[in-house]
Amino acid sequence: MKIVVTEAMPAQSGEASNTEANIPQVVLITGAKSQLAEALLRIAANIGELALNSNANTSTNTSIPLELYALSRSQLDITDAANIAVVFDQYRPSWVINCAAYNAVDAAEHDAIEANRVNALGPELLAQQCLLSGARLLHVSSDYVFGGHAVCDSAHAAERAIGDARESGVEQHQNPDLAPNSNPNPNPNQVHLPRPFVELDAPNPLSAYGKSKLLGEQRVVAVLGDCSTIVRTSWLYGQDGHNFVKTMLNLMRTQPSLQVIVDQIGCPTWSDALAKVIWQLVVQQYSGVFHYSAQGQCSWYEFACEIQRQAIALHLLSQPMVIQPITSADYAKQALNRGISLAKRPSYSVLNSGKLRSTLATNNVLSMPEQIEWQDWRQQLNRMLRRLS
């Protein structure tokens, strides 16, 4: 395997095609400075050997080595069709993993045009170029495409039940006040299921950010159809970039107390675990929509309390501080008093990873000491924090 980050020279247009046998296949990673792109490179290096299964659907496994190129926005602007065409001509990728995104959830409410440009137009342009060149696209999406109510057509209820059965280790939250509200005007053709979302559940984004992510998914599928690969994830954090865990650690070192939202339920997901899942999908060339998060679920408040507990145990923090639970409504009121308008977020956005786990279990070609991708969120958090200690 060869890992190349931003500075390596791509193949020139006069050289032999990288689709020929035994010639390394190129994987382009957009958004090189994102925490997920960093994790993808780190996991690839840890695996030690990364190869494409050229006969993924047959009994013959012909492995072709992969070369990885992580490109920053200055090198690959996914909203610029001409720039994309030039980069594809230079690198001639077999796969593109799109980590580039507009992730400012609150800012998107006032800048929906930019959010749609990056989260919807960008993936569409990548998909169009992939279609022209024969490359595959894996696009990363969000739990925020859902609105807090797990709803699916009655025709899909049985399939959804199978998805629920596949998922192991997902605890149902026992506080009825934190469960999704029922629909006051139920549709007889719909089934309301306050359980983790599966891929068949109907999206219903509440925010401009969530709408832009859903639009990106829809445009990718419109271009590539069944050949597209979309991975939705939730509450992503890692040792790189900006995220909730690193923000909490900083505030816990500098503030006397914190207020953290208690009535939004989701699942924290370690970027390294997501990266391992993505590599498995790429090397086996799987298509479709998949959900991935760690096992279990919690509120932001519970997440913050666990961060503090583990950080003290690992000597990342010297002493505990007061963490107070606060409702979303009260938090929004306080923010509004400071002149800040917050986007609506789903009260419940836990993802069911059963379909993905079942898919990968059939042929897990990446061996690592532990199956970090199927660990409880507390275990994933512990592994990440140990990287910082």
Side-chain angles (χ1 to χ4, degrees):
M1 179 191 66
K2 183 179 181 182
I3 298 178
V4 187
V5 185
T6 70
E7 296 300 329
M9 293 298 293
Q12 299 303 310
S13 58
E15 297 176 6
S17 169
N18 65 2
T19 59
E20 296 178 9
N22 301 321
I23 295 179
Q25 305 288 282
V26 171
V27 178
L28 288 186
I29 302 173
T30 69
K33 296 181 180 179
S34 68
Q35 62 178 334
L36 179 55
E38 295 277 4
L40 284 165
L41 295 173
R42 180 168 50 250
I43 290 297
N46 290 342
I47 291 170
E49 181 178 350
L50 197 59
L52 191 70
N53 179 2
S54 63
N55 296 286
N57 298 318
T58 72
S59 58
T60 303
N61 186 343
T62 304
S63 296
I64 301 173
L66 297 180
E67 289 187 1
L68 317 183
Y69 295 84
L71 305 183
S72 65
R73 182 179 178 182
S74 63
Q75 296 168 303
L76 174 55
D77 182 351
I78 67 169
T79 66
D80 185 335
N83 180 216
I84 294 173
V86 169
V87 169
F88 269 61
D89 184 60
Q90 291 176 327
Y91 288 88
R92 288 172 293 167
S94 295
W95 273 87
V96 177
I97 303 175
N98 184 32
C99 299
Y102 182 107
N103 291 323
V105 177
D106 296 320
E109 295 299 306
H110 308 287
D111 199 6
I113 292 176
E114 180 64 11
N116 285 331
R117 194 173 74 91
V118 177
N119 291 342
L121 174 62
E124 180 182 25
L125 294 178
L126 285 173
Q128 289 174 348
Q129 195 62 47
C130 284
L131 184 65
L132 290 173
S133 67
R136 301 284 295 275
L137 174 63
L138 187 149
H139 175 60
V140 181
S141 191
S142 168
D143 59 324
Y144 279 22
V145 301
F146 296 111
H149 303 272
V151 178
C152 66
D153 294 339
S154 57
H156 291 150
E159 295 171 81
R160 191 190 196 291
I162 293 173
D164 287 334
R166 286 176 180 153
E167 182 76 340
S168 63
V170 176
E171 306 164 5
Q172 294 299 313
H173 212 288
Q174 298 302 311
N175 186 342
D177 295 331
L178 303 183
N181 296 323
S182 59
N183 188 337
N185 299 302
N187 184 326
N189 295 321
Q190 293 178 322
V191 180
H192 295 264
L193 302 168
R195 295 196 289 273
F197 288 92
V198 297
E199 293 79 359
L200 291 171
D201 288 323
N204 181 31
L206 304 177
S207 63
Y209 165 77
K211 291 174 183 177
S212 73
K213 294 298 289 184
L214 177 59
L215 187 57
E217 291 184 14
Q218 292 170 338
R219 292 188 179 182
V220 166
V221 172
V223 175
L224 295 175
D226 293 339
C227 291
S228 60
T229 306
I230 295 170
V231 180
R232 294 173 180 149
T233 192
S234 65
W235 296 20
L236 197 63
Y237 68 90
Q239 50 264 54
D240 308 296
H242 301 286
N243 56 68
F244 184 80
V245 174
K246 293 175 72 174
T247 297
M248 286 296 103
L249 288 175
N250 182 58
L251 291 175
M252 289 170 183
R253 294 183 182 111
T254 59
Q255 302 297 317
S257 65
L258 282 176
Q259 290 185 321
V260 184
I261 291 174
V262 72
D263 57 353
Q264 292 175 19
I265 307 301
C267 187
T269 303
W270 184 25
S271 58
D272 283 37
L274 174 59
K276 187 185 174 189
V277 162
I278 287 175
W279 283 129
Q280 291 180 71
L281 289 172
V282 168
V283 299
Q284 289 300 303
Q285 305 193 72
Y286 286 118
S287 299
V289 178
F290 299 96
H291 288 176
Y292 176 71
S293 66
Q295 301 295 290
Q297 58 189 35
C298 64
S299 68
W300 290 111
Y301 169 74
E302 291 168 323
F303 190 19
C305 290
E306 185 65 14
I307 291 168
Q308 176 172 255
R309 186 190 71 79
Q310 292 198 24
I312 290 174
L314 294 170
H315 306 292
L316 293 170
L317 296 174
S318 59
Q319 59 185 10
M321 53 102 75
V322 176
I323 305 176
Q324 300 173 332
I326 186 172
T327 66
S328 301
D330 287 342
Y331 191 84
K333 288 178 184 177
Q334 291 184 9
L336 197 58
N337 289 336
R338 301 193 304 271
I340 302 172
S341 179
L342 300 181
K344 278 189 174 183
R345 289 163 168 81
S347 60
Y348 186 89
S349 63
V350 180
L351 300 177
N352 183 317
S353 304
K355 174 186 174 183
L356 179 63
R357 187 168 189 172
S358 177
T359 299
L360 297 182
T362 60
N363 193 1
N364 188 350
V365 297
L366 301 184
S367 59
M368 294 187 72
E370 292 185 71
Q371 289 189 310
I372 59 173
E373 64 269 44
W374 309 122
Q375 289 181 332
D376 180 84
W377 66 269
R378 299 169 189 85
Q379 293 174 288
Q380 288 191 3
L381 174 63
N382 187 261
R383 291 178 65 91
M384 179 270 185
L385 290 176
R386 287 181 182 277
R387 299 275 181 89
L388 303 179
S389 61

